[in-house]
Amino acid sequence: MVNRRIAEILRNGQPDESLVVQGWVRTKRELKGFAFIEVNDGSSLANLQAVINQDLPDYEAIIKQINTGASVEVAGVLVASQGKGQRIELQAETVKVYGEADPETYPLQKKRHSFEFLRTIGHLRSRTNSFGAVFRVRNACSAAIHQFFQERGFLWVHTPIITASDCEGAGELFSVTSLNLKNVPRTENQEIDYSQDFFAKPTYLTVSGQLEAEVMAMAFSNVYTFGPTFRAENSNTSRHLAEFWMVEPEMAFCDLEGDMDLAEAFLKYIFNFVLEKCPEDMEFFNQRIDDTVLATAENIVNNQFERLTYTDAIKLLEKADFKFEYPVSWGLDLQSEHERYLAEQLFKKPVIVTDYPAQIKAFYMRLNDDEKTVRAMDILAPKIGEIIGGSQREERLDVLERRVVAQGMKPEDLWWYLDLRRYGTVPHAGFGLGFERLVQFMTGMGNIRDVIPFPRTPQNAEF
Amino acid sequence: MVNRRIAEILRNGQPDESLVVQGWVRTKRELKGFAFIEVNDGSSLANLQAVINQDLPDYEAIIKQINTGASVEVAGVLVASQGKGQRIELQAETVKVYGEADPETYPLQKKRHSFEFLRTIGHLRSRTNSFGAVFRVRNACSAAIHQFFQERGFLWVHTPIITASDCEGAGELFSVTSLNLKNVPRTENQEIDYSQDFFAKPTYLTVSGQLEAEVMAMAFSNVYTFGPTFRAENSNTSRHLAEFWMVEPEMAFCDLEGDMDLAEAFLKYIFNFVLEKCPEDMEFFNQRIDDTVLATAENIVNNQFERLTYTDAIKLLEKADFKFEYPVSWGLDLQSEHERYLAEQLFKKPVIVTDYPAQIKAFYMRLNDDEKTVRAMDILAPKIGEIIGGSQREERLDVLERRVVAQGMKPEDLWWYLDLRRYGTVPHAGFGLGFERLVQFMTGMGNIRDVIPFPRTPQNAEF
């Protein structure tokens, strides 16, 4: 007999086929003379129903063992289902129980559990419908990202996790050290003796792979990173993680127009990919979690994104017949309420805002001729807010050096980054996508801790 | 005119096609009345040759600017090449210089540089032939890994980088902290006051995602990790990195046979993929770096791997007509010389050694009925040595608890891992592949620091 995955059986299985399935029991219903069990192997939201007749040897003993959470191997023949809800079911010929799950202690009984509770059993929560769907969609997003870039000849580059540079200055950094924290060695003048640390200098967990991705783009033209990044920011919110994954493409010979074109194509590709690969999971989110997720996904796939400058956006916001909590004024950053007004109320589709004031953006963004704005872009989506941030990079050595100094950094600390402008510099651009934000928006999950298998947040590094 | 990548032009370009290329100048040759430049954009090892005639406006000025390392955009028409070494070349109509590279200071002049020297300019070394080829092959290996698993319905799972568990005990750990190292807070009895640390407990960089991958396999059946892992081991060798990427598949309802089948198919798939996608780069390694890399790759692709137990391997080694440096005796681990003897001298193909003594392997490996050996397997390849290590996992709660205690660990620290055996336990198995080792073996590069963009090693966290 052939061993098959349940997703494939539900899609292709035909009556009279003999097969074996292996999975975990979701529910059991005992009736007169037989029992139904729903078996799930994680390949799909839907279970395969197996029918166990009482003429099976050891029927009573087996039925007693197969409670919710038990692991089983069922061999049998597919038959057309008489009941509602499924096209086919498995008529069991043998049932083997690998492991039981004591109903007195197994935490995942049939009733609904809160996501808060499920976070405390992060080692079991993936066995529920919601988390099963989340992590299948998360995988589909990952697969879409790699496929998108590989099809276009981008190289996946692994930028360092441990870094000695704190130049991006994006919030607080985690220190990485091999020193004994109980007894940090000191130099004669009571400084930390970093010569005894593993890297012989202070090191941190990276906040972004962008600067190193620029290095690689200057050799391979088109590259992307997809890896973990970190913030030691004490934000206990539903939108912050201390450890999260980022995607950062970087393109040589590319300006902001090309950057926006790629970002728009990229988002459409991912949403489209997931709608095609995970229709059942997406339907589940739309029904159970947030009834706008399908409309939001389709809005992104089907609309040409609106593009306007920050200056024009400010004008529109100033004219808006809407009472904002935060002030609107040229030079101030856009708040979430402003971004949502633009995308949801005004344009009703994704909006790309460009050319932000230089003083609210990073030093590496290309200065416009007005000397006041930079070639930055943020993509704002309905229901989502900012989902992508990017820029054309400053490729002119003199301008970049000036901006580095103006922001209080030392050019010598960035010698290698400046070298990219010194030798064969080219116009280039890139953007960053917070991967968990993407999955959160895709699925409608309210808390970002519920879209990563093992979330790291203040006071929490369980499992 | 169409903007095209050089790899594609060299493959498909036809005379009379008009196009634009953008890239960096590798060499320039000035002749009477015209000049040749070799342009590379990172898409391939080979350059596109462009011919610049002196009737081009500003010919003298342009030629002076285009030195090795300069960035250019050349528009023109493809013509059949008169010269040796290339099928087609580009007859330039316009040449735009984006950025110069002063030959007085640009470190990558035409002469050969040692890999040691190139490590000191890690931000530029990808612009050389060798590192271009390495990172294209590295990307192809990555793409092969994702494609292999995605085709088979495995989910890519992101296991945590920051972890509070030090259970794997694989060498030294890096600490991760947000405490001020200059002034580590103390409790009343002079212990470190971790309540003030970000996670309110000691945390480390992960050494393996396996235990968390097992969690995910118990819900999705088949999963894999592909992410960074860390060792604070003070090993200054050509085979050790402090930060490296690992691939760790984990399969529910799988025993050691299934694990070996998957690992063998996996290795063959990757080598085959790279031979097909990067023939030119692989040929380069074979000619310039190590003239056995193609033969080794083909040996892996074309042979059925030999499988034998550790006990049989010891017998063969004891009988071997070969003087080993290290002793051979049942209970001792195999040394590199023993592994290479088996794969290179005896079987002349990859060998999978199984069922190692329990005391030299990790606590989570499944104990055999002899109570002396465990269901572990290592794959040893000619020229390479150990490339994959895996095992069937201990799925029996009582046996696992016994082994945890025997290795001096506390079962309560592993409560969630033990829960996987308490609720719906199943036979399961997996393996680990050190990604940089793979790339090193694939390319023949002698030092592992030369197959990762920005290596982290003792006293070194540059760029």
Side-chain angles (χ1 to χ4, degrees):
Chain A
M1 288 211 221
V2 199
N3 194 328
R4 287 162 67 180
R5 301 293 306 271
I6 287 172
E8 187 275 317
I9 297 167
L10 294 173
R11 204 164 45 232
N12 306 323
Q14 295 300 330
D16 299 331
E17 287 179 349
S18 288
L19 52 84
V20 181
V21 297
Q22 296 168 311
W24 291 268
V25 174
R26 283 293 174 84
T27 60
K28 170 180 72 174
R29 275 183 300 147
E30 288 182 76
L31 297 166
K32 257 214 154 75
F34 63 97
F36 288 121
I37 59 170
E38 299 276 337
V39 182
N40 190 289
D41 65 1
S43 63
S44 65
L45 187 70
N47 308 312
L48 179 64
Q49 179 165 287
V51 191
I52 308 175
N53 274 309
Q54 66 178 6
D55 49 7
L56 210 77
D58 296 324
Y59 176 78
E60 297 294 336
I62 287 172
I63 291 299
K64 228 176 130 184
Q65 286 182 296
I66 352 185
N67 295 298
T68 297
S71 46
V72 292
E73 176 179 283
V74 184
V77 178
L78 286 184
V79 295
S81 178
Q82 306 300 314
K84 275 185 216 163
Q86 62 278 322
R87 183 177 61 85
I88 44 165
E89 61 193 21
L90 184 63
Q91 185 68 51
E93 288 168 355
T94 65
V95 177
K96 175 172 169 181
V97 181
Y98 284 113
E100 298 184 55
D102 182 352
E104 299 293 315
T105 59
Y106 185 56
L108 287 177
Q109 297 306 318
K110 210 193 160 185
K111 76 179 185 89
R112 284 249 206 150
H113 301 281
S114 73
F115 291 141
E116 287 73 17
F117 169 71
L118 291 173
R119 261 171 243 145
T120 68
I121 49 168
H123 62 309
L124 299 174
R125 67 176 181 168
S126 291
R127 303 178 186 190
T128 64
N129 282 340
S130 298
F131 287 96
V134 164
F135 295 127
R136 277 188 299 274
V137 165
R138 184 179 168 105
N139 173 70
C141 287
S142 300
I145 289 165
H146 281 301
Q147 194 169 306
F148 176 85
F149 287 121
Q150 294 288 333
E151 280 175 2
R152 284 161 184 74
F154 284 60
L155 298 195
W156 185 22
V157 296
H158 296 112
T159 50
I161 310 300
I162 299 172
T163 170
S165 95
D166 52 359
C167 291
E168 270 254 49
E172 310 250 347
L173 300 168
F174 284 107
S175 291
V176 174
T177 180
S178 66
L179 295 177
N180 180 353
L181 298 183
K182 272 199 176 165
N183 190 11
V184 175
R186 304 277 173 166
T187 60
E188 275 179 19
N189 43 10
Q190 291 307 303
E191 295 297 310
I192 298 170
D193 183 6
Y194 278 111
S195 73
Q196 296 186 44
D197 204 352
F198 191 91
F199 297 109
K201 59 166 83 165
T203 51
Y204 311 96
L205 290 178
T206 185
V207 297
S208 159
Q210 180 199 313
L211 305 194
E212 288 91 356
E214 287 185 54
V215 165
M216 301 304 277
M218 294 304 108
F220 300 101
S221 300
N222 294 330
V223 303
Y224 66 109
T225 73
F226 188 173
T229 52
F230 305 85
R231 295 278 187 292
E233 199 184 333
N234 208 343
S235 297
N236 232 325
T237 81
S238 62
R239 284 169 63 95
H240 289 88
L241 291 169
E243 172 180 320
F244 56 98
W245 286 62
M246 281 241 285
V247 181
E248 297 178 289
E250 190 71 34
M251 294 85 72
F253 308 104
C254 182
D255 60 13
L256 195 69
E257 296 300 318
D259 201 31
M260 290 190 283
D261 291 345
L262 190 88
E264 180 171 345
F266 175 64
L267 277 183
K268 286 178 167 163
Y269 187 96
I270 302 171
F271 276 86
N272 202 48
F273 187 98
V274 174
L275 288 172
E276 272 182 21
K277 301 276 173 174
C278 305
E280 196 190 28
D281 293 320
M282 289 301 289
E283 189 60 52
F284 171 85
F285 292 121
N286 209 59
Q287 276 180 24
R288 299 293 190 86
I289 304 293
D290 175 348
D291 64 6
T292 66
V293 294
L294 284 179
T296 300
E298 276 152 20
N299 184 313
I300 288 173
V301 170
N302 297 325
N303 282 300
Q304 198 182 333
F305 294 8
E306 187 71 30
R307 300 181 183 188
L308 78 167
T309 65
Y310 166 88
T311 301
D312 286 343
I314 290 293
K315 284 181 195 155
L316 290 170
L317 289 167
E318 283 172 340
K319 280 194 293 189
D321 183 18
F322 196 89
K323 183 101 188 109
F324 293 116
E325 196 183 336
Y326 290 90
V328 171
S329 165
W330 202 99
L332 298 182
D333 209 353
L334 299 184
Q335 299 297 320
S336 172
E337 57 174 349
H338 309 137
E339 296 176 342
R340 293 188 62 164
Y341 173 81
L342 292 170
E344 285 169 32
Q345 309 290 321
L346 206 56
F347 294 106
K348 300 186 192 328
K349 64 176 184 175
V351 174
I352 313 184
V353 179
T354 65
D355 301 288
Y356 284 78
Q359 74 264 28
I360 59 171
K361 290 288 183 184
F363 73 92
Y364 50 71
M365 298 187 177
R366 192 179 199 280
L367 197 62
N368 281 316
D369 291 345
D370 63 14
E371 297 257 325
K372 288 192 311 193
T373 58
V374 289
R375 296 247 72 192
M377 65 104 171
D378 282 353
I379 302 189
L380 321 173
K383 295 288 293 176
I384 288 177
E386 187 194 324
I387 187 164
I388 276 181
S391 69
Q392 184 171 338
R393 319 307 189 186
E394 184 55 74
E395 89 280 14
R396 296 163 298 186
L397 181 61
D398 55 336
V399 182
L400 184 60
E401 279 178 331
R402 184 149 48 90
R403 296 209 62 211
V404 164
V405 171
Q407 300 218 0
M409 292 180 293
K410 293 187 200 143
E412 53 271 33
D413 289 344
L414 282 165
W415 67 276
W416 53 274
Y417 188 68
L418 294 170
D419 263 9
L420 302 180
R421 280 69 181 172
R422 199 167 277 124
Y423 304 118
T425 190
V426 302
H428 61 292
F431 62 82
L433 169 86
F435 183 63
E436 281 74 20
R437 289 271 171 92
L438 173 76
V439 180
Q440 200 184 353
F441 302 141
M442 183 89 68
T443 58
M445 295 296 283
N447 195 313
I448 201 165
R449 296 163 204 222
D450 296 332
V451 300
I452 188 166
F454 304 97
R456 267 66 182 117
T457 52
Q459 318 234 354
N460 171 49
E462 294 304 310
F463 311 107
Chain B
M1 287 210 221
V2 200
N3 194 327
R4 288 162 66 180
R5 302 292 306 271
I6 288 171
E8 188 274 317
I9 297 168
L10 293 173
R11 205 165 42 233
N12 306 322
Q14 295 301 329
D16 298 331
E17 287 179 348
S18 287
L19 52 83
V20 180
V21 297
Q22 295 169 311
W24 290 268
V25 173
R26 284 294 175 83
T27 59
K28 171 179 71 174
R29 275 184 301 147
E30 289 180 77
L31 298 167
K32 257 215 154 77
F34 63 97
F36 288 120
I37 58 171
E38 298 277 336
V39 183
N40 190 288
D41 65 2
S43 62
S44 66
L45 186 72
N47 308 311
L48 180 64
Q49 178 163 288
V51 191
I52 307 174
N53 273 311
Q54 66 178 5
D55 50 8
L56 209 76
D58 295 324
Y59 177 78
E60 296 295 335
I62 287 172
I63 291 300
K64 227 175 134 182
Q65 285 182 296
I66 354 185
N67 295 299
T68 297
S71 46
V72 292
E73 176 180 284
V74 184
V77 178
L78 286 183
V79 296
S81 178
Q82 307 299 314
K84 274 186 217 161
Q86 63 276 321
R87 182 176 63 85
I88 43 165
E89 61 193 20
L90 183 62
Q91 185 69 48
E93 289 168 355
T94 65
V95 177
K96 176 172 169 180
V97 180
Y98 284 113
E100 299 184 55
D102 182 353
E104 297 294 313
T105 59
Y106 185 56
L108 288 177
Q109 296 306 319
K110 211 192 159 186
K111 75 180 185 87
R112 284 250 207 150
H113 301 280
S114 73
F115 291 140
E116 287 73 18
F117 168 70
L118 291 173
R119 262 172 242 143
T120 67
I121 49 167
H123 62 309
L124 300 174
R125 67 177 180 166
S126 290
R127 303 178 185 190
T128 63
N129 281 340
S130 298
F131 287 96
V134 164
F135 295 128
R136 276 188 300 273
V137 165
R138 185 180 167 105
N139 173 69
C141 287
S142 300
I145 289 165
H146 281 302
Q147 193 168 307
F148 176 84
F149 288 121
Q150 294 288 334
E151 280 175 1
R152 283 159 184 75
F154 284 60
L155 298 194
W156 185 22
V157 296
H158 297 111
T159 50
I161 309 302
I162 299 172
T163 172
S165 95
D166 52 358
C167 290
E168 271 253 51
E172 311 249 346
L173 300 168
F174 284 107
S175 292
V176 174
T177 181
S178 67
L179 295 176
N180 181 351
L181 297 184
K182 269 200 176 164
N183 189 11
V184 175
R186 303 278 172 165
T187 61
E188 276 179 15
N189 43 11
Q190 291 306 304
E191 295 297 310
I192 298 169
D193 183 5
Y194 278 111
S195 73
Q196 296 187 43
D197 205 353
F198 191 91
F199 297 108
K201 61 166 80 165
T203 50
Y204 311 97
L205 291 178
T206 185
V207 296
S208 159
Q210 181 199 313
L211 305 194
E212 288 92 354
E214 287 186 53
V215 164
M216 302 304 277
M218 294 304 109
F220 300 102
S221 300
N222 294 329
V223 303
Y224 66 108
T225 72
F226 187 173
T229 53
F230 306 85
R231 297 277 189 291
E233 200 183 333
N234 207 344
S235 298
N236 232 327
T237 81
S238 62
R239 284 169 64 95
H240 288 89
L241 291 169
E243 173 181 319
F244 56 99
W245 286 63
M246 280 240 288
V247 181
E248 297 179 288
E250 190 71 34
M251 294 83 72
F253 309 104
C254 183
D255 59 13
L256 195 69
E257 296 301 317
D259 201 32
M260 289 190 285
D261 291 345
L262 189 88
E264 180 170 345
F266 175 65
L267 277 183
K268 287 178 168 162
Y269 187 97
I270 302 172
F271 277 86
N272 202 46
F273 188 99
V274 174
L275 288 173
E276 271 182 21
K277 300 275 173 177
C278 305
E280 195 189 32
D281 293 320
M282 289 299 290
E283 187 61 51
F284 172 85
F285 293 122
N286 208 60
Q287 276 181 24
R288 299 293 190 87
I289 305 292
D290 176 347
D291 64 7
T292 66
V293 294
L294 284 179
T296 300
E298 276 152 21
N299 184 312
I300 288 174
V301 169
N302 296 326
N303 281 300
Q304 198 182 332
F305 295 8
E306 188 70 28
R307 299 180 183 188
L308 77 165
T309 65
Y310 166 89
T311 302
D312 285 344
I314 291 293
K315 283 180 195 155
L316 290 170
L317 290 166
E318 283 172 340
K319 279 193 294 191
D321 183 20
F322 196 89
K323 183 103 188 105
F324 295 115
E325 196 182 335
Y326 290 91
V328 171
S329 164
W330 201 100
L332 297 181
D333 208 354
L334 299 183
Q335 299 297 318
S336 172
E337 58 174 347
H338 309 138
E339 297 177 341
R340 293 187 62 163
Y341 174 80
L342 292 171
E344 285 168 32
Q345 308 290 320
L346 206 56
F347 294 104
K348 301 188 191 330
K349 63 176 183 174
V351 175
I352 313 185
V353 178
T354 65
D355 302 288
Y356 283 79
Q359 74 265 27
I360 59 171
K361 290 288 184 183
F363 73 94
Y364 51 72
M365 298 187 176
R366 193 179 198 279
L367 197 63
N368 281 317
D369 291 345
D370 64 12
E371 299 255 327
K372 290 192 309 195
T373 58
V374 289
R375 295 246 74 192
M377 64 105 172
D378 283 352
I379 303 188
L380 321 173
K383 294 288 294 176
I384 289 178
E386 186 195 325
I387 186 165
I388 275 181
S391 69
Q392 184 171 338
R393 319 307 188 186
E394 184 55 74
E395 88 282 14
R396 296 162 297 185
L397 182 60
D398 56 336
V399 182
L400 185 58
E401 280 178 332
R402 183 150 49 90
R403 297 210 62 212
V404 165
V405 171
Q407 300 219 0
M409 291 180 291
K410 294 187 199 142
E412 54 271 31
D413 290 345
L414 282 165
W415 67 276
W416 54 273
Y417 188 68
L418 294 170
D419 263 8
L420 302 180
R421 279 70 180 173
R422 199 168 276 125
Y423 305 119
T425 191
V426 303
H428 62 292
F431 62 81
L433 169 86
F435 183 63
E436 281 74 20
R437 289 269 170 94
L438 173 76
V439 180
Q440 200 184 352
F441 301 141
M442 184 87 68
T443 58
M445 294 297 283
N447 195 313
I448 201 164
R449 295 163 205 224
D450 296 333
V451 299
I452 188 168
F454 305 96
R456 267 65 185 118
T457 52
Q459 318 232 356
N460 171 48
E462 294 305 310
F463 311 107

